[in-house]
Amino acid sequence: MVDAVHGGPRTSIRVSTIIPCHNGERYIDATIRSVLHQGCEGLEIIVVDDGSTDRSPELVRAFGDAVRYVRQPQGGASRARNRGIELATGQAFAFLDADDLWPEGALSRMVAKLESDPSIGMVVGQMEQFVSPELPAAEHLSFRFSPDAVPARMCGTVLVRRAEFERVGGFAPELASGEFIDWLARAEHLGVQTVAIDTVVLRRRLHLSNHGVVRRDARQDYLRVVKAALDRKRATAPRLDPA
Amino acid sequence: MNSVYRVNGPRVIFENIEGELILVHMERGTYYSTDEIGAELWSLIEAQSSVSDMCDVLASRYDAQPTEIADAVARFLARLMEEDLVAVGESPGAPRTTVPPVMGGKRPFSPPALQSYRDMQDMLSLDPIHDVEAAGWPVPRSDDEPSVAPAT
């Protein structure tokens, strides 16, 4: 655990935050604000508009120079994040989806941990879920989830050192789901040093158009991710039996 | 022996990828792989074959005593139940699985095994589960619902 950030929220590691956004008009404003509220100096925010057809562009552009906005034809979150990485100038990368939020101070905690030891390649925080407040009460009840903070390895809970990210490579563009799991499995396979902190660094919004809710069909991609991970494991340790 | 099973969709997803059957229990975040005979049994479960039909099919293709096969099938099904991958289904008047003729001789039999992996549990189980029919995918509220087993 890192104690209160001493000397204010300054960072010596420059962080680039990459936010892929496809038709995110409903929540993108709140998402960007939650990043700006981190108060980290030198924080770079890159929104990659993945072919939005709604008001996302104007909502993002309203932030002016505080946010770098790029747009590309719709190609999925992997391609959008990869584009963001190409543009990023920071020494560490963080990701946030266009509907989720960072609690105040989350990034400073992650940065402090990363800075505490140069051998750490990636910091992972905790996540808590909430049902988007504008949804009617009946919809709230229909989500089955735990409101507790849980350690969660997902795109929005990690801060990765640039060099380590580059060693692992980008997100697999052919995956519509599970692309972060795939990335993380590759990172683990390469031995990226990962340290968990018990701070909530991501507030994940549950709403009616969550990726997982809408794209049930894309869940088949998880199977491909799992298969690839198994194949990698067997290639290195052919006699390794599952636990 | 005449009971049938059904896949616990949609929380269980599966696919045969490059000759290996991979399964994921999305709520538990556990993933599985099985061998050739396990994959064959899984296809028979999907086809709503009765347990005795499953045994007949395996007996026609593999070289083993019927009791050995029956025992292996029962154990494999119990394992699938234990992992919540299948449930006992109802299939009034399910057609008998036709046993295709075997090409060549019978192959050697080994009891099917299901390997389970929990190292990605936290990540796989984060898919939000929603109880309404938002995009044409029914999510049963309980396990005792009649067979919905959507074609996945």
Side-chain angles (χ1 to χ4, degrees):
Chain A
M1 265 292 285
V2 176
D3 51 17
V5 189
H6 41 268
R10 52 107 225 152
T11 69
S12 55
I13 288 184
R14 199 168 124 80
V15 176
S16 297
T17 302
I18 292 143
I19 306 174
C21 173
H22 173 74
N23 288 345
E25 66 178 6
R26 217 175 301 172
Y27 309 119
I28 185 72
D29 185 81
T31 297
I32 293 173
R33 277 176 206 285
S34 80
V35 178
L36 290 170
H37 281 150
Q38 298 300 311
C40 286
E41 251 176 65
L43 175 63
E44 178 176 55
I45 306 174
I46 301 172
V47 174
V48 182
D49 185 342
D50 184 32
S52 293
T53 52
D54 66 355
R55 289 170 54 242
S56 298
E58 57 176 286
L59 291 169
V60 177
R61 285 195 178 113
F63 286 94
D65 292 342
V67 177
R68 182 156 182 202
Y69 171 84
V70 284
R71 182 179 170 84
Q72 62 184 22
Q74 191 187 353
S78 287
R79 284 190 185 86
R81 289 193 197 104
N82 289 345
R83 177 80 188 282
I85 293 286
E86 279 168 30
L87 300 169
T89 61
Q91 297 149 290
F93 303 142
F95 304 92
L96 189 58
D97 288 340
D99 48 1
D100 295 339
L101 303 171
W102 275 351
E104 227 172 298
L107 189 62
S108 316
R109 296 290 186 90
M110 302 240 276
V111 168
K113 191 69 191 177
L114 198 66
E115 283 181 331
S116 70
D117 181 351
S119 72
I120 298 176
M122 175 160 67
V123 177
V124 186
Q126 298 191 343
M127 180 269 295
E128 64 183 19
Q129 310 193 85
F130 68 102
V131 177
S132 203
E134 82 283 3
L135 294 180
E139 298 288 1
H140 281 242
L141 295 173
S142 73
F143 281 98
R144 286 181 277 163
F145 72 104
S146 161
D148 301 334
V150 286
R153 296 175 293 169
M154 51 197 292
C155 222
T157 59
V158 299
L159 179 67
V160 194
R161 229 180 262 279
R162 169 187 279 273
E164 289 298 87
F165 188 93
E166 286 171 350
R167 196 156 72 90
V168 177
F171 298 99
E174 70 276 14
L175 295 173
S177 272
E179 71 281 357
F180 183 72
I181 302 178
D182 175 68
W183 186 90
L184 201 82
R186 279 153 47 208
E188 276 186 357
H189 187 70
L190 290 175
V192 172
Q193 282 302 312
T194 303
V195 171
I197 57 171
D198 52 6
T199 302
V200 175
V201 299
L202 177 69
R203 300 197 66 230
R204 186 196 201 197
R205 186 193 304 267
L206 300 178
H207 53 94
L208 295 181
S209 44
N210 274 96
H211 185 73
V213 171
V214 173
R215 297 216 48 195
R216 284 272 134 170
D217 57 317
R219 297 199 315 171
Q220 293 298 112
D221 279 349
Y222 289 120
L223 295 159
R224 272 163 244 290
V225 169
V226 158
K227 164 76 174 159
L230 275 175
D231 287 347
R232 269 193 301 270
K233 273 186 211 176
R234 291 172 189 140
T236 20
R239 306 202 67 81
L240 184 73
D241 286 321
Chain B
M1 285 298 267
N2 288 317
S3 26
V4 296
Y5 290 77
R6 63 177 171 84
V7 177
N8 266 338
R11 59 185 180 271
V12 175
I13 58 174
F14 58 92
E15 193 174 319
N16 198 307
I17 305 173
E18 292 157 32
E20 180 176 18
L21 178 68
I22 304 284
L23 304 99
V24 176
H25 192 298
M26 293 300 296
E27 285 180 17
R28 295 185 175 184
T30 313
Y31 62 99
Y32 308 85
S33 85
T34 184
D35 46 35
E36 181 195 319
I37 298 178
E40 215 161 331
L41 278 173
W42 187 264
S43 305
L44 291 165
I45 292 167
E46 276 191 271
Q48 302 214 299
S49 303
S50 68
V51 176
S52 58
D53 281 358
M54 292 182 203
C55 294
D56 290 350
V57 169
L58 292 192
S60 74
R61 295 179 190 170
Y62 296 93
D63 187 19
Q65 291 300 314
T67 50
E68 188 189 349
I69 288 178
D71 187 49
V73 168
R75 262 191 280 175
F76 189 70
L77 289 169
R79 177 100 171 87
L80 295 177
M81 289 280 286
E82 181 188 302
E83 295 290 336
D84 192 47
L85 296 170
V86 299
V88 176
E90 279 170 50
S91 177
R96 242 188 102 79
T97 309
T98 46
V99 181
V102 193
M103 307 298 220
K106 289 185 181 183
R107 284 171 284 168
F109 180 79
S110 60
L114 184 76
Q115 313 279 17
S116 60
Y117 304 85
R118 301 181 205 278
D119 58 316
M120 294 186 186
Q121 212 153 25
D122 57 332
M123 296 186 281
L124 288 167
S125 61
L126 286 174
D127 195 30
I129 301 294
H130 195 261
D131 268 337
V132 295
E133 207 166 314
W137 41 271
V139 177
R141 279 183 181 275
S142 64
D143 287 345
D144 52 20
E145 273 197 8
S147 166
V148 282
T152 34

